[in-house]
């Protein structure tokens, strides 16, 4: 083992960079657990609409349709899950020095990330047009906070993957440095897993 590798070892035997990303992911799990718990606690507590699954007529007689629309979000969820598989293939290529494979699957992962972000921007805009904002009711406040923070994490993940993609294009991501992509992949899997929890809680539970 090289001196550099020894320098990055911790008392646990793990690489310090891996230990750092797992510690970070652990703290993020607690952060999202608090946001999801808050959403569940305040679910169905809104006094005024619009509501996620029921139509509502305001005292002024204005009719509001149910906010949640499942098909688009289901497509976004499927694309995000596929991206986790793609980044695994990119990492496999990186670890074996297959630059073409790494760049191709990394590019596919980034495109999936852009699709999800675009889906969420469209959804937020659509909801605002349907009368739901951060200040409308408890559902609006908890929904935009929870999904907005997740979308921010996806955006950070896409930026991280783009930096890996640029390094790969420049030939600066050889197999001995594949741990850099491995850490980005771990973060990407994390945001995917969080969405797997958020999707049924927010969109399917009534």
């Amino acid at each position: 083992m090289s001196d550099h590798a020894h320098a990055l070892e911790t008392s646990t035997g793990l690489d310090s960079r891996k230990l750092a990303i797992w510690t970070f992911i652990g703290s993020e799990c607690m952060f999202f657990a608090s946001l999801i718990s808050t959403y569940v606690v305040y679910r169905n507590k809104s006094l005024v609409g619009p509501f996620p699954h029921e139509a509502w007529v305001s005292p002024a007689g204005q009719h509001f349709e149910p906010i949640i629309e499942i098909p688009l979000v289901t497509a976004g969820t499927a694309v995000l899950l596929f991206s986790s598989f793609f980044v695994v293939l990119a990492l496999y290529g990186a670890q074996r020095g297959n630059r073409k494979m790494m760049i191709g699957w990394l590019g596919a992962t980034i495109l999936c990330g852009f699709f999800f972000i675009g889906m969420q921007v469209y959804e937020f805009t659509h909801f605002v047009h349907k009368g739901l904002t951060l200040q409308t009711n408890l559902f609006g406040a908890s929904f935009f906070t929870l999904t907005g923070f997740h979308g921010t994490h996806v955006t950070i993940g896409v930026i991280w993957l783009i930096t890996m993609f640029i390094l790969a294009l420049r030939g600066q991501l050889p197999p001995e440095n594949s741990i850099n992509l491995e850490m980005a992949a771990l973060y990407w899997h994390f945001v995917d897993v969080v969405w797997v929890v958020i999707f049924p809680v927010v969109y399917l539970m009534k």
Side-chain angles (χ1 to χ4, degrees), residues 31-110:
F31 173 71
F32 275 103
S34 63
L35 288 179
I36 293 169
S37 300
T38 302
Y39 179 87
V40 171
V41 167
Y42 288 113
R43 191 169 62 92
N44 298 330
K45 297 285 180 63
S46 296
L47 299 177
V48 297
F51 300 118
H53 300 287
E54 304 87 24
W56 179 67
V57 180
S58 70
Q62 189 176 3
H63 181 80
F64 292 90
E65 298 176 352
I67 286 293
I68 295 295
E69 295 179 6
I70 301 295
L72 177 64
V73 184
T74 302
T77 302
V79 169
L80 196 62
L81 293 178
F82 274 119
S83 72
S84 262
F85 177 60
F86 295 161
V87 80
V88 168
L89 294 175
L91 180 60
Y92 180 83
Q95 290 172 336
R96 280 151 185 77
N98 189 335
R99 186 164 169 262
K100 186 177 179 181
M101 181 180 184
M102 171 177 57
I103 290 173
W105 288 116
L106 197 50
T109 308
I110 292 168

Side-chain angles (χ1 to χ4, degrees), residues 160-203:
W160 194 349
L161 291 173
I162 288 174
T163 61
M164 293 294 104
F165 186 75
I166 293 172
L167 288 175
L169 286 176
R170 291 177 176 175
Q172 297 175 343
L173 202 57
E176 56 268 27
N177 290 337
S178 63
I179 189 173
N180 294 329
L181 179 57
E182 185 178 347
M183 289 192 296
L186 281 171
Y187 177 83
W188 192 251
H189 291 317
F190 163 71
V191 296
D192 282 8
V193 169
V194 169
W195 185 253
V196 167
V197 178
I198 291 175
F199 177 64
V201 170
V202 173
Y203 294 91

